Structure formats: structure tokens, C-alpha cells
Amino acid sequence: MNETFLARLEQVEQRIAAACKKAGRPRDSVRLLAVSKTKPPEAVREAADCGLRLFGENRVQEAQSKIPMCPNGLEWHLIGHLQTNKAKIAAQYFQMVHSVDSLKLLQALESHAGTTLPVLLQVNVSGESAKFGMKPDEVACVIEAANQMQKVEVHGLMTMPPFSPDPEKTRVHFSALRQLRDHLQDETGTPLPELSMGMSHDLEVAIQEGSTWVRIGTDLFGGRS
Ligand SMILES: *Cc1c(COP(=O)(O)O)cnc(C)c1O
């Protein structure tokens, strides 16, 4: 079991390293977020035993019961849609939120965070079928509002494009997120170094387009039922 995870991790690591090399980027410019949603604490322990420290969950309720059963010293990132009324619990369990998709949610996190909380703003750059995310033209206003807050800090943007079996079809959305980031940095004067984009099947394309966080579930932990 442990060997299986280690073998999968080594494969993912090789893919990330190769993509960085191809893009002329240093390996340490991309971080691997291990997406443990639906997987038991034992799977997280196994991953931690292999040296992983950064884990992603997409539901607050699941995280609330799972995290206390996992090893200490791990960093937990929320990557799924968060309802405003769960912001308080989220702020207790997560060290970073990738999926802030409204000003209202940002304000709720600000009022419940005990200390500095880095966040990413989730943007719907594909327009069509994406269920969550702000519209690109709403983001500047949210960044300006965040700049007046004490605890939440916007570090960049996140996107979750509609699934396509062909990763090349997703490139346009990743590139749109990077261009939006560049534009927002100029417009607001706020540094936005982080881009959370890329999953198991399209991490190479995401890294070529500037991703700094790849969120990998299936190719590390196996398929989800
Ligand atoms: C599930 C999930 C992932 C991981 O997807 P895989 O295809 O299993 O790697 C990444 N990001 C978000 C937001 C997710 O919900």
C-alpha cells in the first residue's frame, strides 16, 4: 500500500519536474497540493509518511471530522465552494482558502479568522458551465476591499475550468487566468504571485501557463467512487 502511494507520488513529482523544465521554471516555483477529499485519514497518514505536508479538501464538514484524525503539523487548504455560514468553521480548520468566490465570503472570513489568512480568489474565466467563481470584471473590486482588511490577504487567483479530456483544450482558460492576474496586478498595485490551477490530468499545461499550485487528487490517491 505504502509502495503504491510512493510510486504514484514519484510519478507525479516526475511530471511536475519535467513540466517545470520544459517551461524553464525552477521546480520550487510550483507547489503540490495533495487533494485528499473522500479519502480516509489513513490515506493522509500514508502521504504524510512519504513527506507530503500540504493537503486540500473541498468540503468543510468532511474536513472537520477528518483533520483531527490526521497527523499533526500538516497544512490544510480549502479548495471547494464555501457557504458564508460555514466561514467560521473553515477559518478554524484551514490555513489557506483557494476558493473565495464573493466579497461576502471574504468579509465573513475576515470576521472569523483568528490570525492572518491567505486566500486566493476563484475566478470563472471560462464563462460557460463553471458553477462557482467570480466574473473576471468583479475581481479588482474584491482585491481593493481586501486591501482594507486586517486578516485576509489575497495572494492570487484560482480557477477550475470545465472538464475536458484533452488538456490542450483547457490551456486557454489557464492562460486567461494568468493574463487576468497580470492585468489586476497593474490595475490594483497588489502583488498576486499565486495561481492555483491544474489537476491530475492537466498539470503539465497548467505549469506551462504559470501555475504555482497544482491540486492533485486522483493521480496520488487513486480514483474516487
Ligand atoms: C477534486 C479536486 C481536485 C483534484 O482533482 P483530480 O482530478 O482528482 O486531481 C482539484 N481541485 C478541486 C477544486 C477539486 O475539487
Side-chain angles (χ1 to χ4, degrees), residues 87-109:
K88 186 174 181 180
I89 312 173
Q92 283 165 14
Y93 283 87
F94 291 98
Q95 285 77 59
M96 181 160 171
V97 179
H98 290 224
S99 47
V100 172
D101 58 4
S102 72
L103 179 56
K104 209 174 79 176
L105 178 57
L106 193 73
Q107 286 162 337
L109 288 168

Side-chain angles (χ1 to χ4, degrees), residues 1-221:
M1 187 67 178
N2 209 23
E3 263 168 9
T4 311
F5 185 88
L6 192 58
R8 288 200 191 108
L9 173 60
E10 278 169 358
Q11 263 196 341
V12 168
E13 280 293 347
Q14 273 171 22
R15 288 172 60 198
I16 295 173
C20 284
K21 195 169 174 208
K22 192 172 168 195
R25 301 178 54 191
R27 168 62 190 89
D28 66 3
S29 66
V30 179
R31 263 152 311 165
L32 170 59
L33 188 68
V35 177
S36 50
K37 66 185 185 190
T38 79
K39 301 296 176 185
E42 298 74 62
V44 172
R45 184 174 299 277
E46 197 177 12
D49 286 346
C50 294
L52 294 183
R53 286 288 169 272
L54 308 169
F55 290 86
E57 287 286 331
N58 69 333
R59 292 175 61 234
V60 170
Q61 239 170 341
E62 184 181 342
Q64 204 176 359
S65 58
K66 189 190 294 183
I67 292 174
M69 299 169 72
C70 291
N72 292 325
L74 306 180
E75 195 177 302
W76 293 91
H77 293 219
L78 180 63
I79 60 172
H81 178 66
L82 175 61
Q83 290 171 314
T84 307
N85 63 9
K86 293 202 179 125
K88 186 174 181 180
I89 312 173
Q92 283 165 14
Y93 283 87
F94 291 98
Q95 285 77 59
M96 181 160 171
V97 179
H98 290 224
S99 47
V100 172
D101 58 4
S102 72
L103 179 56
K104 209 174 79 176
L105 178 57
L106 193 73
Q107 286 162 337
L109 288 168
E110 170 70 12
S111 68
H112 293 298
T115 166
T116 304
L117 180 66
V119 304
L120 306 177
L121 302 180
Q122 183 173 356
V123 188
N124 177 359
V125 284
S126 51
E128 335 136 19
S129 51
K131 239 169 46 190
F132 299 113
M134 308 176 203
K135 292 187 198 139
D137 65 5
E138 295 172 333
V139 185
C141 189
V142 178
I143 292 171
E144 305 281 9
N147 286 342
Q148 306 305 314
M149 296 181 186
Q150 307 304 312
K151 289 176 263 171
V152 292
E153 283 179 355
V154 177
H155 287 198
L157 307 179
M158 179 271 216
T159 199
M160 175 107 175
F163 177 82
S164 165
D166 177 6
E168 278 303 325
K169 295 227 160 72
T170 312
R171 183 185 293 277
V172 60
H173 305 307
F174 293 152
S175 136
L177 193 73
R178 187 195 65 234
Q179 288 172 40
L180 177 66
R181 185 276 303 275
D182 294 348
H183 168 79
L184 287 165
Q185 284 193 146
D186 289 347
E187 190 184 345
T188 66
T190 306
L192 301 166
E194 308 291 349
L195 290 175
S196 172
M197 55 189 200
M199 301 168 32
S200 288
H201 78 296
D202 56 15
L203 70 87
E204 284 87 356
V205 173
I207 289 170
Q208 282 165 33
E209 296 298 332
S211 174
T212 64
W213 285 99
V214 289
R215 309 180 307 263
I216 309 300
T218 309
D219 284 358
L220 283 177
F221 293 103

